[in-house]
Amino acid sequence: MATPRRLLSATFFVLLLAAALVVGWRLARRPIAPAQPDRAESSAPTRGGELSGSFRSDAVTYNRYVDRSAAGELLALLTQAPLVRVNRVTDRLEPWLAESWTQSVDGLVYTLKLRNGLAFSDGVPFTSADVLFSFGTLYDTKDSVLADGARVGGKPLVVEAPDPGTVVFRFPEQFAPGLRLIEGVPILPRHKLEAALNAGTFADAWGATTPLTELAGLGPFVLSEHVASQRMVFARNPRYWRSDAAGIQLPYLDRLTVLIIQDQNTEALRMESGGIDLMVSGEIRPEDYVTFKRAADRGQLRLLDAGVALDVNLLWFDLSNSAVADTRRPWLRQKAFRQAISCAVDRQVIVNTVYLGAAVPVYGPISPGNRTWYSPAVVGCQHDLARARTLLASAGLSDRDGDGMLEDATGAPARFSILTQRGHTIRERTSSILQEQLRQVGLTVDVVPLDQGAMAARWQKHDYDSIYFGVQSTATDPALSPEFWYSSGPFHFWNPGQPQPATDWERRIDDLMRRQSNSLDPAERQRLFTDAQAILADELPAIYFAASRVTLAVSRRVANAQPVPQVPQLLWAADTIAAVRDK
Amino acid sequence: MTRRPLPALGVALLGLVALVAVAAPLVAPYDPGRQFGDFASAPPMRPHVIDDAGAWHLPFVYPIRLVTRLERRYDEDRATRVTLRWGRGGTLVSADEGTGPLLLLGADSLGRDVFSRLVRGSRLSLGVSVLATLCALVVGALVGAAAGFRGGTIDALAMNVADFVIVLPAIYVVLALRAVMPLVLSTSEVFWTLAAVMGLAGWPYPARGVRAVVAVERRMEYAEAARALGAGPWRILLRHVLPAAKGLLAVQATLLLPSFILAEATLSYVGLGFPEPTPSWGAMLQEAGRISSLVDAPWLLAPAAAIVISVLALHLTAGGRPTLERTVQAAPVNN
């Protein structure tokens, strides 16, 4: 007889659902325990202890020069060191492996004095020969991923080593950011890699199967254990050269374990439950904030405000030659159409709904988080539906059939698609809001979430209408982002890699950026860059809506953290981060 | 005669769900895509009939107001009563918009009314499942009948194809199919595609059953008698043999329909279903996929509850249907 069994299963289902809802309700209203005193903030950092963090991808090679991945960058940050470093808090250039430098009067030659007595983690002394080797390898290696970022006007720097403690850099032309250009270049051990370079196998050197004892660096840590797709364990480099103000040798930590946790939800759960001390990969998503806030109120972790993000998501349309030649929807490439979109979108709604208020409206690529280069004078169209409709009409779009939606001159509906990254809640939700807000001015938008790879493939083939996406950048100085600003740049998203500027306004931006990059007068640079931003804000090849406020979560065991909005928000200063020791 | 309360309950529930789906535009207070920006992830508003002073009123709600946006905390404004209006403005229930939206099941992360989306979504989720079930039953019955009636090569071929379809990894087939289709599909295109795909994935199950029934029935005396009286094969099949599979098809329908409801939910959940902002139960559940939703916004699981209720109703209803066993027993027996 089936009836009793069905009754039982029905009862079970209903009870299960009720139990889940009750548990959820209870958890949401759990009384908040008083927060414990915060020893992490009150006490001076001490040496010793260990922390664990999470990262969303694994290193596939230990050779930073051929690895563009975020994991490769993290690995280099922890185990290698550059000659100079940009302090992310002050945005000033600091001596690092080089203890000082001088600049020639014409601004073309930098002479760097290296620190005395430094040694790689395997004990071999560090000299200017290692710097020569590193930059020689950087420019000579076919697969080098760092070379383009270390050129000025497409030309490499000339590097000389007059003696073991001195390095000279000759710039091909005046370049305002100066040595900031080489901040991202880690110095490699010549004694370990020269043979591979000579044999033509440098790209394969320090691959994932290399014994960890073969690796050597000048960074605060050495990689002591790597279990693929599970964890990387970093131990203190006993030969690290830095000490704090009290003379304590850095790094403070004995050990840093980085767990590979690809799923962001799992990562958040681990963080909330105390399974990890920090999330190396990034900030708290707005939708997770309430969960972390509750955990912080219970005294389980701390929330750190790192300020307004420097990276802003952008909506761009395909303005490549093939798209411009397409006569089917000419309005899609018109400036008035892009301006209408900018006017039709209420940025504050995006700030309030997607970021839950933890963001600021923006109108260009430079957010208020970039204190040096942000220009409040560059503003775009505020929310103005009447103006948006006027602009759309000037682009040839009007409601010809009285259905409330716009059509073009041929009677075809004014319809386009936005590709965005599947699973990225900020981008997906912003796209949904754009869809709804543009519907109010009669535009039909199809939001198509795609995997990042599929989206990139369509971008490269110019097989899209528009894309809402964003990239991470650590550089604050716009002269260090030529790939975006110059028409020839690979990240000139709307029409990348142009042999010649396709439009007059792109030619003008190219010229302004070249001049501001070459000028050594800060005021002149500001003026030129403001002009370039103003052109971009008028032409709107890319439309910007909001920049998030970056909030980070760390456990109560993390001490001396210096949060910044750029990734990696905490481990950029990995040698000074400390652990609170259990008493 | 024994009373059968559970099937009756199932039929009642099913009727209610069907009614809501059919009358969705009248039941949903708002357009499913409408966003209330200041009510992102707002909790459900509970209807009351007694106020804080203990006085009775017509059903009313207390409006909610935002306390902390980032923490998504809302308070009820207990000083204001908003009386629910019935049958006004072309919807079953509404409230004065001056005091904010009426969010009977709360709002999602974009401030959209979950109740309106749930009701509107029922049309698509149930519609595509019913259509897919009909498609599977018709195709399955025809193929199964042909295989069982003719036997031989046709039987072997049809059943091998059925086996092949059954062992296909459905999700990969759908992924491959989606990859070759245009990037942007309208809601109606997705609707018909999903129905066709699910129907074609489901036909082997009724086909195998119908084939077995027909293979037995075609040798029965009544079929032989019809043949002796000059009936053609089509008449024997359609008028005499196939009706014996009616019970089996009914049982199959009650099995396929819930599985298609879940399949639609699964496909939409993994992004292969209806596009934004079209509401379907599976698409709505995407947002509830995070474990913290259970704690922070359990009302986002409302589509899951709707799926459970619908599937449960179908199973309870199935309890009242003649089973295959009874169908076969009821068929004429050749002594």
Side-chain angles (χ1 to χ4, degrees), chain A residues 6 24 28 265 269 287-291 293-294 352 429 435 446, chain B residues 69-72 109 184 271 276-277 290-291 294-296 315:
Chain A
R6 284 179 193 284
N265 294 326
L269 278 175
E287 66 263 33
D288 292 330
Y289 180 85
V290 65
T291 310
K293 177 73 167 55
R294 208 175 290 133
N352 289 345
R429 287 177 189 171
Q435 183 181 46
D446 298 298
Chain B
R69 192 184 298 278
L70 195 52
E71 295 179 37
R72 287 175 285 175
S109 62
V184 177
E276 277 284 329
R290 291 180 302 116
I291 193 79
L294 189 64
V295 176
D296 300 330
H315 276 287

PDB file of all heavy atoms in Angstrom, chain A residues 6 24 28 265 269 287-291 293-294 352 429 435 446, chain B residues 69-72 109 184 271 276-277 290-291 294-296 315:
ATOM      1  N   ARG A   6       3.701   7.411   1.276  1.00  0.00           N
ATOM      2  CA  ARG A   6       3.614   8.772   0.747  1.00  0.00           C
ATOM      3  C   ARG A   6       3.371   9.776   1.861  1.00  0.00           C
ATOM      4  O   ARG A   6       3.935  10.878   1.857  1.00  0.00           O
ATOM      5  CB  ARG A   6       2.456   8.864  -0.266  1.00  0.00           C
ATOM      6  CG  ARG A   6       2.800   8.249  -1.585  1.00  0.00           C
ATOM      7  CD  ARG A   6       1.648   8.319  -2.548  1.00  0.00           C
ATOM      8  NE  ARG A   6       1.915   7.459  -3.680  1.00  0.00           N
ATOM      9  CZ  ARG A   6       2.752   7.753  -4.657  1.00  0.00           C
ATOM     10  NH1 ARG A   6       3.402   8.889  -4.633  1.00  0.00           N
ATOM     11  NH2 ARG A   6       2.961   6.920  -5.653  1.00  0.00           N
ATOM     12  N   GLY A  24      17.675  28.552   9.879  1.00  0.00           N
ATOM     13  CA  GLY A  24      18.117  29.789   9.237  1.00  0.00           C
ATOM     14  C   GLY A  24      17.664  31.008  10.012  1.00  0.00           C
ATOM     15  O   GLY A  24      18.423  31.924  10.289  1.00  0.00           O
ATOM     16  N   ALA A  28      20.048  33.618  11.998  1.00  0.00           N
ATOM     17  CA  ALA A  28      20.050  35.031  11.631  1.00  0.00           C
ATOM     18  C   ALA A  28      19.839  35.924  12.840  1.00  0.00           C
ATOM     19  O   ALA A  28      20.241  37.067  12.856  1.00  0.00           O
ATOM     20  CB  ALA A  28      18.966  35.292  10.606  1.00  0.00           C
ATOM     21  N   ASN A 265      32.358  30.996  -2.358  1.00  0.00           N
ATOM     22  CA  ASN A 265      31.439  30.714  -1.252  1.00  0.00           C
ATOM     23  C   ASN A 265      32.123  29.862  -0.196  1.00  0.00           C
ATOM     24  O   ASN A 265      31.976  30.098   1.009  1.00  0.00           O
ATOM     25  CB  ASN A 265      30.189  29.989  -1.775  1.00  0.00           C
ATOM     26  CG  ASN A 265      29.372  30.875  -2.673  1.00  0.00           C
ATOM     27  OD1 ASN A 265      29.293  32.084  -2.464  1.00  0.00           O
ATOM     28  ND2 ASN A 265      28.777  30.295  -3.692  1.00  0.00           N
ATOM     29  N   LEU A 269      32.969  30.808   3.717  1.00  0.00           N
ATOM     30  CA  LEU A 269      32.582  29.948   4.837  1.00  0.00           C
ATOM     31  C   LEU A 269      33.781  29.613   5.721  1.00  0.00           C
ATOM     32  O   LEU A 269      33.698  29.624   6.950  1.00  0.00           O
ATOM     33  CB  LEU A 269      31.956  28.644   4.314  1.00  0.00           C
ATOM     34  CG  LEU A 269      30.486  28.710   3.925  1.00  0.00           C
ATOM     35  CD1 LEU A 269      30.054  27.395   3.309  1.00  0.00           C
ATOM     36  CD2 LEU A 269      29.628  29.008   5.152  1.00  0.00           C
ATOM     37  N   GLU A 287      27.249  40.984  -0.701  1.00  0.00           N
ATOM     38  CA  GLU A 287      26.234  40.069  -0.191  1.00  0.00           C
ATOM     39  C   GLU A 287      26.741  39.254   0.993  1.00  0.00           C
ATOM     40  O   GLU A 287      25.958  38.655   1.724  1.00  0.00           O
ATOM     41  CB  GLU A 287      25.715  39.142  -1.301  1.00  0.00           C
ATOM     42  CG  GLU A 287      26.739  38.169  -1.850  1.00  0.00           C
ATOM     43  CD  GLU A 287      27.382  38.684  -3.126  1.00  0.00           C
ATOM     44  OE1 GLU A 287      27.546  39.927  -3.236  1.00  0.00           O
ATOM     45  OE2 GLU A 287      27.733  37.867  -3.976  1.00  0.00           O
ATOM     46  N   ASP A 288      28.056  39.196   1.166  1.00  0.00           N
ATOM     47  CA  ASP A 288      28.615  38.462   2.306  1.00  0.00           C
ATOM     48  C   ASP A 288      28.839  39.363   3.506  1.00  0.00           C
ATOM     49  O   ASP A 288      29.192  38.886   4.584  1.00  0.00           O
ATOM     50  CB  ASP A 288      29.960  37.809   1.921  1.00  0.00           C
ATOM     51  CG  ASP A 288      29.775  36.685   0.921  1.00  0.00           C
ATOM     52  OD1 ASP A 288      28.705  36.050   0.951  1.00  0.00           O
ATOM     53  OD2 ASP A 288      30.687  36.447   0.124  1.00  0.00           O
ATOM     54  N   TYR A 289      28.693  40.666   3.301  1.00  0.00           N
ATOM     55  CA  TYR A 289      29.068  41.598   4.359  1.00  0.00           C
ATOM     56  C   TYR A 289      28.317  41.312   5.656  1.00  0.00           C
ATOM     57  O   TYR A 289      28.904  41.296   6.739  1.00  0.00           O
ATOM     58  CB  TYR A 289      28.806  43.043   3.913  1.00  0.00           C
ATOM     59  CG  TYR A 289      29.188  44.039   4.978  1.00  0.00           C
ATOM     60  CD1 TYR A 289      30.499  44.478   5.089  1.00  0.00           C
ATOM     61  CD2 TYR A 289      28.256  44.512   5.892  1.00  0.00           C
ATOM     62  CE1 TYR A 289      30.863  45.371   6.079  1.00  0.00           C
ATOM     63  CE2 TYR A 289      28.609  45.398   6.889  1.00  0.00           C
ATOM     64  CZ  TYR A 289      29.916  45.832   6.972  1.00  0.00           C
ATOM     65  OH  TYR A 289      30.281  46.705   7.968  1.00  0.00           O
ATOM     66  N   VAL A 290      27.010  41.089   5.544  1.00  0.00           N
ATOM     67  CA  VAL A 290      26.215  40.918   6.765  1.00  0.00           C
ATOM     68  C   VAL A 290      26.683  39.692   7.554  1.00  0.00           C
ATOM     69  O   VAL A 290      26.727  39.704   8.787  1.00  0.00           O
ATOM     70  CB  VAL A 290      24.705  40.849   6.408  1.00  0.00           C
ATOM     71  CG1 VAL A 290      24.363  39.634   5.582  1.00  0.00           C
ATOM     72  CG2 VAL A 290      23.867  40.898   7.657  1.00  0.00           C
ATOM     73  N   THR A 291      27.080  38.643   6.851  1.00  0.00           N
ATOM     74  CA  THR A 291      27.585  37.437   7.519  1.00  0.00           C
ATOM     75  C   THR A 291      28.881  37.740   8.264  1.00  0.00           C
ATOM     76  O   THR A 291      29.053  37.354   9.425  1.00  0.00           O
ATOM     77  CB  THR A 291      27.844  36.332   6.470  1.00  0.00           C
ATOM     78  OG1 THR A 291      26.693  36.203   5.656  1.00  0.00           O
ATOM     79  CG2 THR A 291      28.149  35.008   7.133  1.00  0.00           C
ATOM     80  N   LYS A 293      29.932  40.693   9.166  1.00  0.00           N
ATOM     81  CA  LYS A 293      29.675  41.686  10.208  1.00  0.00           C
ATOM     82  C   LYS A 293      29.187  40.976  11.471  1.00  0.00           C
ATOM     83  O   LYS A 293      29.590  41.312  12.592  1.00  0.00           O
ATOM     84  CB  LYS A 293      28.631  42.690   9.697  1.00  0.00           C
ATOM     85  CG  LYS A 293      28.210  43.730  10.713  1.00  0.00           C
ATOM     86  CD  LYS A 293      29.324  44.750  10.935  1.00  0.00           C
ATOM     87  CE  LYS A 293      28.882  45.977  11.696  1.00  0.00           C
ATOM     88  NZ  LYS A 293      28.265  45.748  12.978  1.00  0.00           N
ATOM     89  N   ARG A 294      28.344  39.992  11.260  1.00  0.00           N
ATOM     90  CA  ARG A 294      27.818  39.236  12.412  1.00  0.00           C
ATOM     91  C   ARG A 294      28.966  38.506  13.113  1.00  0.00           C
ATOM     92  O   ARG A 294      29.052  38.508  14.333  1.00  0.00           O
ATOM     93  CB  ARG A 294      26.781  38.237  11.894  1.00  0.00           C
ATOM     94  CG  ARG A 294      25.726  37.886  12.918  1.00  0.00           C
ATOM     95  CD  ARG A 294      24.675  36.993  12.306  1.00  0.00           C
ATOM     96  NE  ARG A 294      23.854  37.692  11.352  1.00  0.00           N
ATOM     97  CZ  ARG A 294      23.535  37.231  10.140  1.00  0.00           C
ATOM     98  NH1 ARG A 294      24.011  36.088   9.722  1.00  0.00           N
ATOM     99  NH2 ARG A 294      22.776  37.928   9.347  1.00  0.00           N
ATOM    100  N   ASN A 352      23.510  51.562  -4.435  1.00  0.00           N
ATOM    101  CA  ASN A 352      22.649  51.120  -3.337  1.00  0.00           C
ATOM    102  C   ASN A 352      22.260  49.653  -3.434  1.00  0.00           C
ATOM    103  O   ASN A 352      22.191  48.951  -2.427  1.00  0.00           O
ATOM    104  CB  ASN A 352      21.372  51.964  -3.298  1.00  0.00           C
ATOM    105  CG  ASN A 352      21.643  53.378  -2.840  1.00  0.00           C
ATOM    106  OD1 ASN A 352      22.717  53.668  -2.295  1.00  0.00           O
ATOM    107  ND2 ASN A 352      20.704  54.273  -3.069  1.00  0.00           N
ATOM    108  N   ARG A 429      24.749  41.420 -11.468  1.00  0.00           N
ATOM    109  CA  ARG A 429      23.660  42.249 -10.939  1.00  0.00           C
ATOM    110  C   ARG A 429      23.669  43.643 -11.553  1.00  0.00           C
ATOM    111  O   ARG A 429      22.614  44.211 -11.816  1.00  0.00           O
ATOM    112  CB  ARG A 429      23.768  42.336  -9.409  1.00  0.00           C
ATOM    113  CG  ARG A 429      23.371  41.033  -8.755  1.00  0.00           C
ATOM    114  CD  ARG A 429      23.540  41.068  -7.267  1.00  0.00           C
ATOM    115  NE  ARG A 429      23.343  39.730  -6.721  1.00  0.00           N
ATOM    116  CZ  ARG A 429      23.584  39.384  -5.474  1.00  0.00           C
ATOM    117  NH1 ARG A 429      24.043  40.296  -4.633  1.00  0.00           N
ATOM    118  NH2 ARG A 429      23.377  38.158  -5.063  1.00  0.00           N
ATOM    119  N   GLN A 435      19.984  46.601 -17.616  1.00  0.00           N
ATOM    120  CA  GLN A 435      18.891  46.096 -18.450  1.00  0.00           C
ATOM    121  C   GLN A 435      17.566  46.772 -18.084  1.00  0.00           C
ATOM    122  O   GLN A 435      16.824  47.233 -18.957  1.00  0.00           O
ATOM    123  CB  GLN A 435      18.798  44.578 -18.234  1.00  0.00           C
ATOM    124  CG  GLN A 435      17.771  43.872 -19.060  1.00  0.00           C
ATOM    125  CD  GLN A 435      17.763  42.386 -18.727  1.00  0.00           C
ATOM    126  OE1 GLN A 435      17.767  41.981 -17.572  1.00  0.00           O
ATOM    127  NE2 GLN A 435      17.758  41.558 -19.749  1.00  0.00           N
ATOM    128  N   ASP A 446      19.756  42.395 -23.796  1.00  0.00           N
ATOM    129  CA  ASP A 446      19.870  40.986 -23.419  1.00  0.00           C
ATOM    130  C   ASP A 446      21.152  40.811 -22.631  1.00  0.00           C
ATOM    131  O   ASP A 446      22.238  41.113 -23.132  1.00  0.00           O
ATOM    132  CB  ASP A 446      19.922  40.097 -24.666  1.00  0.00           C
ATOM    133  CG  ASP A 446      18.653  40.223 -25.494  1.00  0.00           C
ATOM    134  OD1 ASP A 446      17.579  39.895 -24.975  1.00  0.00           O
ATOM    135  OD2 ASP A 446      18.744  40.671 -26.646  1.00  0.00           O
TER     136      ASP A 446
ATOM    137  N   ARG B  69      21.688  49.748   5.180  1.00  0.00           N
ATOM    138  CA  ARG B  69      21.705  49.165   3.832  1.00  0.00           C
ATOM    139  C   ARG B  69      22.717  48.046   3.729  1.00  0.00           C
ATOM    140  O   ARG B  69      22.432  46.965   3.217  1.00  0.00           O
ATOM    141  CB  ARG B  69      22.009  50.255   2.807  1.00  0.00           C
ATOM    142  CG  ARG B  69      21.760  49.835   1.380  1.00  0.00           C
ATOM    143  CD  ARG B  69      22.156  50.898   0.405  1.00  0.00           C
ATOM    144  NE  ARG B  69      21.394  52.119   0.557  1.00  0.00           N
ATOM    145  CZ  ARG B  69      20.188  52.321   0.045  1.00  0.00           C
ATOM    146  NH1 ARG B  69      19.613  51.368  -0.643  1.00  0.00           N
ATOM    147  NH2 ARG B  69      19.561  53.465   0.222  1.00  0.00           N
ATOM    148  N   LEU B  70      23.926  48.298   4.211  1.00  0.00           N
ATOM    149  CA  LEU B  70      24.995  47.315   4.044  1.00  0.00           C
ATOM    150  C   LEU B  70      24.695  46.012   4.795  1.00  0.00           C
ATOM    151  O   LEU B  70      25.039  44.929   4.342  1.00  0.00           O
ATOM    152  CB  LEU B  70      26.326  47.906   4.524  1.00  0.00           C
ATOM    153  CG  LEU B  70      27.592  47.183   4.114  1.00  0.00           C
ATOM    154  CD1 LEU B  70      27.640  46.940   2.623  1.00  0.00           C
ATOM    155  CD2 LEU B  70      28.818  47.975   4.530  1.00  0.00           C
ATOM    156  N   GLU B  71      24.037  46.153   5.938  1.00  0.00           N
ATOM    157  CA  GLU B  71      23.695  44.949   6.716  1.00  0.00           C
ATOM    158  C   GLU B  71      22.341  44.402   6.322  1.00  0.00           C
ATOM    159  O   GLU B  71      21.883  43.403   6.888  1.00  0.00           O
ATOM    160  CB  GLU B  71      23.729  45.265   8.200  1.00  0.00           C
ATOM    161  CG  GLU B  71      25.113  45.617   8.709  1.00  0.00           C
ATOM    162  CD  GLU B  71      25.104  45.943  10.193  1.00  0.00           C
ATOM    163  OE1 GLU B  71      24.362  45.304  10.938  1.00  0.00           O
ATOM    164  OE2 GLU B  71      25.840  46.863  10.578  1.00  0.00           O
ATOM    165  N   ARG B  72      21.684  45.068   5.402  1.00  0.00           N
ATOM    166  CA  ARG B  72      20.365  44.675   4.917  1.00  0.00           C
ATOM    167  C   ARG B  72      19.381  44.502   6.072  1.00  0.00           C
ATOM    168  O   ARG B  72      18.680  43.498   6.194  1.00  0.00           O
ATOM    169  CB  ARG B  72      20.467  43.376   4.110  1.00  0.00           C
ATOM    170  CG  ARG B  72      21.101  43.601   2.755  1.00  0.00           C
ATOM    171  CD  ARG B  72      21.301  42.331   2.019  1.00  0.00           C
ATOM    172  NE  ARG B  72      22.408  41.577   2.554  1.00  0.00           N
ATOM    173  CZ  ARG B  72      22.751  40.373   2.166  1.00  0.00           C
ATOM    174  NH1 ARG B  72      22.069  39.764   1.259  1.00  0.00           N
ATOM    175  NH2 ARG B  72      23.785  39.746   2.691  1.00  0.00           N
ATOM    176  N   SER B 109      17.919  40.220  -4.373  1.00  0.00           N
ATOM    177  CA  SER B 109      19.044  41.145  -4.212  1.00  0.00           C
ATOM    178  C   SER B 109      18.917  42.392  -5.081  1.00  0.00           C
ATOM    179  O   SER B 109      19.618  43.367  -4.862  1.00  0.00           O
ATOM    180  CB  SER B 109      20.352  40.436  -4.532  1.00  0.00           C
ATOM    181  OG  SER B 109      20.319  40.015  -5.877  1.00  0.00           O
ATOM    182  N   VAL B 184      22.002  34.833 -28.061  1.00  0.00           N
ATOM    183  CA  VAL B 184      20.834  35.417 -27.402  1.00  0.00           C
ATOM    184  C   VAL B 184      19.583  34.696 -27.884  1.00  0.00           C
ATOM    185  O   VAL B 184      19.325  34.627 -29.078  1.00  0.00           O
ATOM    186  CB  VAL B 184      20.723  36.920 -27.723  1.00  0.00           C
ATOM    187  CG1 VAL B 184      19.472  37.494 -27.098  1.00  0.00           C
ATOM    188  CG2 VAL B 184      21.954  37.653 -27.225  1.00  0.00           C
ATOM    189  N   GLY B 271      22.385  28.078 -15.471  1.00  0.00           N
ATOM    190  CA  GLY B 271      22.486  29.148 -16.464  1.00  0.00           C
ATOM    191  C   GLY B 271      22.115  28.736 -17.868  1.00  0.00           C
ATOM    192  O   GLY B 271      22.406  29.452 -18.819  1.00  0.00           O
ATOM    193  N   GLU B 276      17.772  36.405 -17.766  1.00  0.00           N
ATOM    194  CA  GLU B 276      17.307  37.540 -16.968  1.00  0.00           C
ATOM    195  C   GLU B 276      16.569  38.522 -17.866  1.00  0.00           C
ATOM    196  O   GLU B 276      16.951  38.684 -19.029  1.00  0.00           O
ATOM    197  CB  GLU B 276      18.508  38.252 -16.334  1.00  0.00           C
ATOM    198  CG  GLU B 276      19.000  37.613 -15.057  1.00  0.00           C
ATOM    199  CD  GLU B 276      18.092  37.942 -13.887  1.00  0.00           C
ATOM    200  OE1 GLU B 276      17.477  39.027 -13.861  1.00  0.00           O
ATOM    201  OE2 GLU B 276      17.996  37.109 -12.997  1.00  0.00           O
ATOM    202  N   PRO B 277      15.539  39.198 -17.375  1.00  0.00           N
ATOM    203  CA  PRO B 277      14.961  39.106 -16.039  1.00  0.00           C
ATOM    204  C   PRO B 277      13.783  38.144 -15.968  1.00  0.00           C
ATOM    205  O   PRO B 277      13.011  38.205 -15.022  1.00  0.00           O
ATOM    206  CB  PRO B 277      14.489  40.539 -15.809  1.00  0.00           C
ATOM    207  CG  PRO B 277      14.051  41.001 -17.153  1.00  0.00           C
ATOM    208  CD  PRO B 277      14.934  40.300 -18.152  1.00  0.00           C
ATOM    209  N   ARG B 290      23.838  30.237  -2.555  1.00  0.00           N
ATOM    210  CA  ARG B 290      24.840  30.414  -1.504  1.00  0.00           C
ATOM    211  C   ARG B 290      24.291  29.911  -0.181  1.00  0.00           C
ATOM    212  O   ARG B 290      23.131  30.136   0.152  1.00  0.00           O
ATOM    213  CB  ARG B 290      25.207  31.900  -1.371  1.00  0.00           C
ATOM    214  CG  ARG B 290      25.958  32.441  -2.539  1.00  0.00           C
ATOM    215  CD  ARG B 290      26.281  33.902  -2.350  1.00  0.00           C
ATOM    216  NE  ARG B 290      25.079  34.684  -2.143  1.00  0.00           N
ATOM    217  CZ  ARG B 290      24.802  35.345  -1.015  1.00  0.00           C
ATOM    218  NH1 ARG B 290      25.620  35.292  -0.003  1.00  0.00           N
ATOM    219  NH2 ARG B 290      23.706  36.040  -0.906  1.00  0.00           N
ATOM    220  N   ILE B 291      25.155  29.234   0.556  1.00  0.00           N
ATOM    221  CA  ILE B 291      24.720  28.645   1.817  1.00  0.00           C
ATOM    222  C   ILE B 291      24.255  29.733   2.786  1.00  0.00           C
ATOM    223  O   ILE B 291      23.345  29.531   3.594  1.00  0.00           O
ATOM    224  CB  ILE B 291      25.856  27.792   2.439  1.00  0.00           C
ATOM    225  CG1 ILE B 291      25.329  26.912   3.567  1.00  0.00           C
ATOM    226  CG2 ILE B 291      26.997  28.635   2.943  1.00  0.00           C
ATOM    227  CD1 ILE B 291      24.641  25.691   3.109  1.00  0.00           C
ATOM    228  N   LEU B 294      20.474  30.792   3.333  1.00  0.00           N
ATOM    229  CA  LEU B 294      19.614  30.114   4.296  1.00  0.00           C
ATOM    230  C   LEU B 294      19.505  30.936   5.577  1.00  0.00           C
ATOM    231  O   LEU B 294      18.478  30.954   6.241  1.00  0.00           O
ATOM    232  CB  LEU B 294      20.196  28.730   4.614  1.00  0.00           C
ATOM    233  CG  LEU B 294      19.336  27.785   5.428  1.00  0.00           C
ATOM    234  CD1 LEU B 294      18.084  27.423   4.670  1.00  0.00           C
ATOM    235  CD2 LEU B 294      20.115  26.538   5.789  1.00  0.00           C
ATOM    236  N   VAL B 295      20.593  31.611   5.901  1.00  0.00           N
ATOM    237  CA  VAL B 295      20.624  32.418   7.123  1.00  0.00           C
ATOM    238  C   VAL B 295      20.148  33.843   6.850  1.00  0.00           C
ATOM    239  O   VAL B 295      19.298  34.366   7.568  1.00  0.00           O
ATOM    240  CB  VAL B 295      22.066  32.462   7.692  1.00  0.00           C
ATOM    241  CG1 VAL B 295      22.132  33.374   8.906  1.00  0.00           C
ATOM    242  CG2 VAL B 295      22.529  31.063   8.041  1.00  0.00           C
ATOM    243  N   ASP B 296      20.688  34.433   5.789  1.00  0.00           N
ATOM    244  CA  ASP B 296      20.444  35.862   5.574  1.00  0.00           C
ATOM    245  C   ASP B 296      19.122  36.152   4.867  1.00  0.00           C
ATOM    246  O   ASP B 296      18.504  37.175   5.120  1.00  0.00           O
ATOM    247  CB  ASP B 296      21.590  36.460   4.734  1.00  0.00           C
ATOM    248  CG  ASP B 296      22.921  36.310   5.430  1.00  0.00           C
ATOM    249  OD1 ASP B 296      22.924  36.303   6.666  1.00  0.00           O
ATOM    250  OD2 ASP B 296      23.948  36.186   4.736  1.00  0.00           O
ATOM    251  N   HIS B 315       2.875  13.648  -6.743  1.00  0.00           N
ATOM    252  CA  HIS B 315       3.054  12.302  -6.185  1.00  0.00           C
ATOM    253  C   HIS B 315       1.800  11.859  -5.435  1.00  0.00           C
ATOM    254  O   HIS B 315       1.392  10.695  -5.513  1.00  0.00           O
ATOM    255  CB  HIS B 315       4.267  12.273  -5.259  1.00  0.00           C
ATOM    256  CG  HIS B 315       5.546  12.077  -6.002  1.00  0.00           C
ATOM    257  ND1 HIS B 315       5.904  10.877  -6.564  1.00  0.00           N
ATOM    258  CD2 HIS B 315       6.543  12.935  -6.304  1.00  0.00           C
ATOM    259  CE1 HIS B 315       7.068  10.994  -7.177  1.00  0.00           C
ATOM    260  NE2 HIS B 315       7.478  12.249  -7.040  1.00  0.00           N
TER     261      HIS B 315
END
